Each structure stands twice: as C-alpha cells, then as structure tokens.
Amino acid sequence: MEALASILESLASKAAEYMVDSTPEQLGYLFNHESKFQNLWSKVQELKDARQRVQQSVDEANRNGEKIFDDVERWLTMVNDKISDQATTQLQEDEKKAMESYFASFLLGIKSRYHLSKKDEKEVEVITQLLNGKDQFDRVSYCPALEGMSIRPVKEYEAFGSRSDAFNGVMAALDDDNINIIGVYGMGGVGKTTLVKEAARQIIAKEKKLFDEVILVAITQASNISNIQNEITEKLGLKIEERSVDVRAALLHDRLKKINKVLIILDDIWEEHDLDAPGIPSVDKNKGLKILMTSRRLEVLKSMGSQKSLPIDILKEDEAWNLFKIVAGPIAERSDLQSKANKVAQNCAGLPIVIATVAKALKHKENLHEWEDALEQLKPSEINFRGVPSAVYSAIEMSYKYLKTEDLKSIFLLCSIMGHNAAIEDLLKYCTGLGLFHGLDTIQKVRNRVLTLVSELEVSSLLLAGSTPECFDMHDVVCDVAISIASRDRGWLALGKEDVFEGWSDVETMRNYNLISLQHTKVSELPDELECPNLTFFAMVNRDSCLKIPNNFFKGMKRLKVLSLKKVNLSSLPSSIESLRSLCALRLIDCGVKDIVMLGELVNLEILDLCNSGIRLLSKEIGQMGG
C-alpha cells in the first residue's frame, strides 16, 4: 500500500508541474484541447476554400497570358504546404495519438494535450495570417509589357547592299544622343517596315540594351488617336479603362515619361500627326525618348520633325534575282527554266513584297509553259488603282489567280477589307455569317478551316503575320490590288479613310453591289432607304459622331447575311433591322445600343457580337434566334 501511495504521489506531483502557477490561458491548453483542435480544423477548411478561389483566378489569368504577381505565387506555395494531404494527415495522426495517450496514461496524456494544444494555436495564427494575406490581393495578375516580343521575327530579311546605307544610318541615329526623331521613306512595298522591324530586333537582341522598351505601332490610313493609344497601351501592358481620349492621353503620357529610355516606332504614316494628342511626350523634354517613323512621303516625315530621313530604293537587278531564288527555291535555277525565272524576277518592279509573292506562286510550277504564261501575265496592265504601279498590280493579280481554291480567293478578298492587324476570330464570324464553307456544321470546324486558309495565304505572302498569332495583316499594296479585284469581279464597294462617298443616289449601281464596306469613310448622310437587293454584307466603321442611321435604311437589304457596325450611334436600333430575316451574323461594336429586344425577330441569327455595348444581360427574346 505504501508503494502504491508513493506512485500516486509522484504522478500527482508531475501533473502539478503543468498546473502550478499556470495562467488561465495555459490551463486552457489542457482543458479546451478539443475546441482548439476543431478551431484549427475549421481554419484549414477555410484556407482550402480561399486557396481554391485564388487558384481559379490564377488559372484564368494564365489562360489570358497574364503575369501572376510574385506575392500571389508565394502565398499559394505557403498555402499548399499547409493544406497538403501530408500536412492534414499528420494533423489528424497527432490528434489521434494525443487521445490514445490520454486514455493509456494520465500523465503522458496531460503532457501530450498541453503541447499539442499550443501547437494547434500557433497553426491557427499562421493560417489566420495567410487568410488575411489573401484579402490584400486586389487582383492576382497583370498584363506584362510585351517588350521585344511584340516584334515578331522578320521572315526573309536579307541584308542587301542597297539597304545597308539606310539600315546602318538608322542604327547610328538610334545610338546618337543628338538625334531623337528618325525617318525612313520609300514607295509602298519597298521594305520600310521590314527594315525597321529588323533594326528593332537587333536592338532588343543586343547584350547592352539601348532602350528599356521598344514599341511598334502601325499607323496606316485608317488609324485615329484612339487606335494609336490602344496599340501603345497594349504593348506596355497597361489597362486604361477610361474611354475619354484626353484622359487616356494624360495617363499614357505619364507612363511613358517614367520609362528611362524608350523607342517608339510609328510605321506607315500617311499624313502629319500631332504626337501629343495620343499621349506621346515631347522628345525635347524627354531625352530618353526616340521616335522612328516610316512613310511613303518625305514631306510627311519633315512635317513631323524628322532630324534624319533615310531613303530606301527598289532592289537592284542582282538583288531582285537573289531574293527570287531564295524564295522560289531550286526550281528557279533549273537549266530549262532559269532564263524565264530571271525575267520573271526582273518584272517584279524591284519590290520585295512583289518578288516574294510571285516567287511563292511559281515555286511549284514544273512546266516551261507555266513560266511563259506567268511572264505574259506580268506585262504591265492599264489599271492604275490608288497609285499602284501597273507592273506591281499585274504581279499581285497573277499571284491571286494562282491560288488553288475558290475558298482561298474568297478569304483573301475578305481579308482586304478588315484593316491592319485584324483578328482571326472576326474573320471567322464573317465566314460563318456568309456561309462560305458548306458542310461544316460546327464553329470549331469553321475555325479550323479559317486557320488553315490564313496559314496558306501567309505562306504565299499575300497575307502577313500579325502582331500576335491570333491576328493577321496585309500589306497596303496587296490590299489595294485585292480591293480593286473584288470591285471589278465581285460587285464590291470597299472604301477607306481617304475616300469620300456620295454615291447613294446612283440607284442602278447600288442595286448591283454584293458587299459594301465603309471603313472610316467620309459619309455626309445616309439615305432614308437603301435599295440593295443583292447585298449580303454591309460593314461600316463610323468617323462622324453625328451620323444617324434612318429607321428604314435596311429595308431594301432582304438578302443581307452579315451586318457589322462600329462606333455608330445606336441608342435605339433602326426598326428596319427586324426585317433582316436572312441575317446570320450581327456585330454592333461600341455603338451604345441599349435595347435589343427586336433582335429576337432575327430567327437565322447565329453570331451576335455586342462588344463595348454596355449590355450585360440578354433579354429572353434573344432565345428565339437561330430557330
């Protein structure tokens, strides 16, 4: 009995060590263990839910090509460690052991519960800090500045001797602290864009960088201040939600001033631009800023303050032949074809874009008569469309005729009205609306066909790669020829920013059009009703905020399949839209449209694009569309 009493006294003494002089908080470790564990387990579940929400946002950002903030990445790493299967399993095993020891040995159980309760409380503190950290994330990602990656590799660039003076001059001027504005000029298709892109590529590739940022902006005839702002902000990775041009200019101006050294390339300028309007800082006040411009006209460069303007001339005969051989491949030097191939090369006006296009059209032509026929087709035509030289026109038209399928020809002509750096998805919408591909019963099948055809046209050099893989481009000269062909052969009316159209009153001519495209065209007013019974496609990008569409305007377009309007004031839709029962694709971009109930009458509509319309909820009537 004395021995048993001694053992009990010893156990009581040891237990007292955990209780004597203990605070209520410390006693809580012994007596509130179960509630502390439940609290910890609840926090773990809360952390798992928070992690799921953040991870979903991160996955969406990754799909959109955005960059995840470093603190978000670190947070996810720490959270994953805390809630991993191994960590939660260990937590459950510790609790199980504590309970087992509690029943197996009173003393060991007290000690284990005490230490485990303290550990649980510390874990709760850590998890609470992680949950608070998650609340600090306004957003998990950002659009990275594209830097040099925005300038895609220049295919088929050749350092010809006739180009070396201009190229070396550009590189020297970019390295000269006394020169801030540089210009490159020459006729369309001579290679201005290719030269400045190659200069930019070499600058970016240098170990010692001349510039922190290199931004390429295609100006073109159709560009306005808003378009220029959009291109610069996109390539800087900026998101400016403000729609006021002046406010956007101020924000962009401040951002550009913060960059120590920046090169802005303004490609294909047709007329004098006020660089301050879109938000480009003055080079006089920002010595780290340089501007490199290209234009067809020297006077345009001078009017914009070019301090050094460098000309690019057409290729010399030997250079033209060398480029032709590179693009056409071995067939150009086959003994029975070489002389004809050389003559073909010399009939390409010394323009790289024409040489590349013709060489690719002929590289698989094995027979002598095909090359002789090509020479015949390359004879200068009498057509003079928008100042395109007749020899150039003939060469590009020949390349068009050599396209293998009608689908390729149709897509090529359709691309010519879509402007620079056009989205392949927009081309998809037009092709679907027009029903160009019979037998393709899903959007994905149509998308695959469009991507294939665009790729083939890029290989032929009739299309160019866009700034991203989701876009395509077309050289101005090729575009002009394509529009001329479509106007002549397919009944198209396609006008641009430099054009003025007042031909609505020519009733007979208007009745014969199959497609009308007015891209920033100056239009004084629209007729009350347009009688175009054969029209299947109507597109207009408005340049006059006061222009209104009369209620009956679309009444005479019963066969219309595609309608695309951009920046047209449509607070209320013209009532005649509901009569377009053949309409398959409708795009109302940035039109301020509010009420779209009448669109429910368009039972054949398959594609509806309301980008920047402000509409967030579609009415139940839209459910009638598509049958």
Side-chain angles (χ1 to χ4, degrees):
M1 289 293 292
E2 290 180 4
L4 178 60
S6 176
I7 291 171
L8 291 172
E9 183 180 350
S10 175
L11 289 171
S13 175
K14 290 290 184 182
E17 291 180 14
Y18 294 98
M19 301 181 186
V20 175
D21 295 329
S22 297
T23 64
E25 180 182 9
Q26 290 173 318
L27 290 173
Y29 295 141
L30 290 175
F31 300 113
N32 296 323
H33 171 70
E34 287 82 0
S35 64
K36 288 183 181 295
F37 177 76
Q38 290 302 323
N39 183 39
L40 171 59
W41 194 248
S42 174
K43 286 291 184 183
V44 168
Q45 293 303 124
E46 189 178 343
L47 188 59
K48 283 184 177 181
D49 293 340
R51 186 252 184 214
Q52 183 184 31
R53 288 192 294 273
V54 173
Q55 189 63 54
Q56 285 176 342
S57 298
V58 166
D59 291 343
E60 182 180 357
N62 283 327
R63 286 193 296 271
N64 293 331
E66 297 181 0
K67 180 78 172 173
I68 309 303
F69 286 116
D70 290 342
D71 59 344
V72 175
E73 296 274 22
R74 288 193 298 270
W75 185 88
L76 282 172
T77 300
M78 290 188 289
V79 169
N80 288 335
D81 288 342
K82 282 292 173 198
I83 64 174
S84 67
D85 290 341
Q86 183 179 355
T88 53
T89 300
Q90 185 64 49
L91 182 65
Q92 291 170 323
E93 287 179 356
D94 288 346
E95 176 64 14
K96 183 179 178 182
K97 287 179 182 178
M99 295 303 296
E100 288 174 350
S101 64
Y102 179 72
F103 291 109
S105 167
F106 174 69
L107 176 59
L108 186 59
I110 289 175
K111 181 179 180 180
S112 178
R113 286 160 68 89
Y114 179 85
H115 287 297
L116 195 57
S117 289
K118 290 195 72 173
K119 181 181 176 182
D120 288 352
E121 190 165 79
K122 287 180 180 178
E123 286 295 307
V124 168
E125 289 178 4
V126 172
I127 292 174
T128 301
Q129 288 177 358
L130 287 172
L131 289 169
N132 291 338
K134 176 255 180 187
D135 293 336
Q136 303 303 312
F137 303 150
D138 292 330
R139 44 191 299 210
V140 301
S141 63
Y142 62 96
C143 291
L146 298 180
E147 300 175 351
M149 295 302 292
S150 63
I151 300 172
R152 303 181 75 189
V154 184
K155 296 180 180 179
E156 296 159 1
Y157 176 79
E158 294 292 331
F160 293 115
S162 62
R163 298 291 189 272
S164 59
D165 286 348
F167 184 82
N168 293 336
V170 167
M171 297 301 284
L174 291 173
D175 203 19
D176 188 336
D177 291 338
N178 296 314
I179 299 176
N180 297 101
I181 303 180
I182 308 119
V184 176
Y185 65 96
M187 67 182 296
V190 79
K192 301 182 295 296
T193 300
T194 302
L195 185 141
V196 297
K197 280 187 176 181
E198 178 62 16
R201 189 194 67 78
Q202 292 196 21
I203 288 168
I204 293 165
K206 280 188 175 184
E207 197 168 318
K208 182 184 176 182
K209 288 190 175 181
L210 287 175
F211 300 96
D212 300 315
E213 300 276 2
V214 178
I215 302 165
L216 174 64
V217 182
I219 301 299
T220 76
Q221 286 176 285
S223 290
N224 54 32
I225 293 174
S226 181
N227 291 341
I228 296 171
Q229 289 176 332
N230 289 341
E231 284 219 44
I232 297 176
T233 53
E234 179 185 343
K235 284 159 188 175
L236 283 173
L238 286 176
K239 277 192 175 180
I240 301 178
E241 303 297 337
E242 175 61 51
R243 299 183 70 180
S244 163
V245 169
D246 292 337
V247 174
R248 285 163 60 89
L251 294 171
L252 185 57
H253 182 276
D254 288 344
R255 175 66 176 86
L256 288 170
K257 284 181 69 176
K258 291 176 182 177
I259 304 173
N260 187 33
K261 301 190 78 175
V262 58
L263 170 63
I264 299 178
I265 301 173
L266 303 176
D267 186 36
D268 197 19
I269 300 175
W270 285 73
E271 59 189 8
E272 182 180 355
H273 284 264
D274 176 10
L275 297 183
D276 184 57
I280 298 175
S282 165
V283 294
D284 296 329
K285 298 178 181 178
N286 297 269
K287 295 302 180 183
L289 169 66
K290 283 184 183 276
I291 295 173
L292 174 58
M293 305 179 291
T294 73
S295 179
R296 297 187 185 188
R297 298 192 283 270
L298 174 60
E299 60 269 22
V300 171
L301 298 178
K302 287 182 175 179
S303 70
M304 295 184 65
S306 176
Q307 296 161 288
K308 189 175 184 67
S309 299
L310 301 153
I312 300 184
D313 205 351
I314 61 173
L315 294 178
K316 297 176 182 177
E317 282 193 12
D318 60 327
E319 294 174 332
W321 173 233
N322 285 335
L323 178 58
F324 189 91
K325 289 188 294 181
I326 290 170
V327 179
I331 198 168
E333 296 186 272
R334 208 174 77 183
S335 58
D336 60 326
L337 297 178
Q338 184 172 357
S339 63
K340 297 295 182 186
N342 190 291
K343 288 181 180 177
V344 168
Q346 303 316 319
N347 274 273
C348 291
L351 298 178
I353 183 65
V354 179
I355 294 168
T357 303
V358 171
K360 287 181 178 179
L362 293 172
K363 68 185 302 181
H364 299 300
K365 303 297 181 184
E366 300 279 346
N367 301 309
L368 178 61
H369 66 263
E370 291 174 305
W371 288 80
E372 289 177 337
D373 182 59
L375 271 175
E376 188 65 29
Q377 292 190 60
L378 286 171
K379 286 182 178 179
S381 67
E382 296 180 0
I383 299 174
N384 183 5
F385 185 78
R386 294 184 179 174
V388 177
S390 58
V392 175
Y393 189 102
S394 297
I396 294 172
E397 183 178 30
M398 187 200 77
S399 298
Y400 163 75
K401 289 178 179 178
Y402 277 10
L403 291 174
K404 295 177 183 178
T405 67
E406 189 59 32
D407 282 352
L408 273 172
K409 291 178 179 178
S410 296
I411 288 288
F412 168 65
L413 296 179
L414 199 52
C415 290
S416 70
I417 64 169
M418 293 186 63
H420 284 280
N421 210 38
I424 293 175
E425 280 298 304
D426 290 345
L427 179 61
L428 166 70
K429 293 168 187 175
Y430 292 155
C431 292
T432 302
L434 290 170
L436 290 186
F437 311 122
H438 301 292
L440 300 184
D441 54 359
T442 68
I443 284 290
Q444 188 56 49
K445 289 178 181 178
V446 177
R447 179 178 288 107
N448 293 340
R449 179 67 57 82
V450 169
L451 289 170
T452 300
L453 294 173
V454 167
S455 179
E456 288 186 42
L457 289 169
E458 286 184 3
V459 168
S460 73
S461 288
L462 287 172
L463 284 186
L464 304 173
S467 62
T468 69
E470 293 76 29
C471 298
F472 63 87
D473 211 334
M474 182 180 285
H475 195 284
D476 286 334
V477 173
V478 177
C479 183
D480 287 343
V481 175
I483 287 174
S484 173
I485 292 170
S487 300
R488 181 192 68 202
D489 298 344
R490 304 209 175 193
W492 286 21
L493 172 65
L495 303 176
K497 184 178 179 181
E498 298 297 306
D499 300 309
V500 177
F501 184 64
E502 297 175 343
W504 303 112
S505 58
D506 189 342
V507 177
E508 279 308 307
T509 300
M510 295 305 300
R511 288 179 61 86
N512 291 325
Y513 283 131
N514 297 310
L515 177 149
I516 295 177
S517 174
L518 306 174
Q519 305 295 316
H520 300 283
T521 308
K522 186 175 182 181
V523 178
S524 54
E525 62 178 336
L526 299 175
D528 182 60
E529 181 178 340
L530 188 60
E531 189 66 30
C532 291
N534 298 317
L535 199 67
T536 59
F537 185 108
F538 184 91
M540 182 166 69
V541 180
N542 189 27
R543 63 182 286 179
D544 182 2
S545 59
C546 297
L547 187 69
K548 304 287 185 183
I549 295 184
N551 261 331
N552 294 324
F553 182 71
F554 298 107
K555 215 168 189 179
M557 306 181 191
K558 301 297 185 185
R559 296 180 61 189
L560 196 67
K561 292 183 176 181
V562 176
L563 174 60
S564 178
L565 302 175
K566 185 174 182 180
K567 295 186 178 179
V568 177
N569 185 359
L570 286 179
S571 53
S572 61
L573 292 174
S575 57
S576 54
I577 280 185
E578 65 181 350
S579 67
L580 301 177
R581 298 306 175 92
S582 297
L583 200 66
C584 296
L586 175 62
R587 304 185 70 216
L588 304 175
I589 311 300
D590 205 9
C591 289
V593 62
K594 295 184 177 67
D595 184 359
I596 58 171
V597 172
M598 73 168 63
L599 299 185
E601 301 296 322
L602 307 179
V603 294
N604 287 308
L605 199 63
E606 297 178 27
I607 292 177
L608 177 62
D609 187 348
L610 300 172
C611 183
N612 294 336
S613 67
I615 291 178
R616 293 292 177 266
L617 186 65
L618 296 179
S619 60
K620 62 181 181 180
E621 287 82 1
I622 302 303
Q624 300 177 40
M625 296 190 306

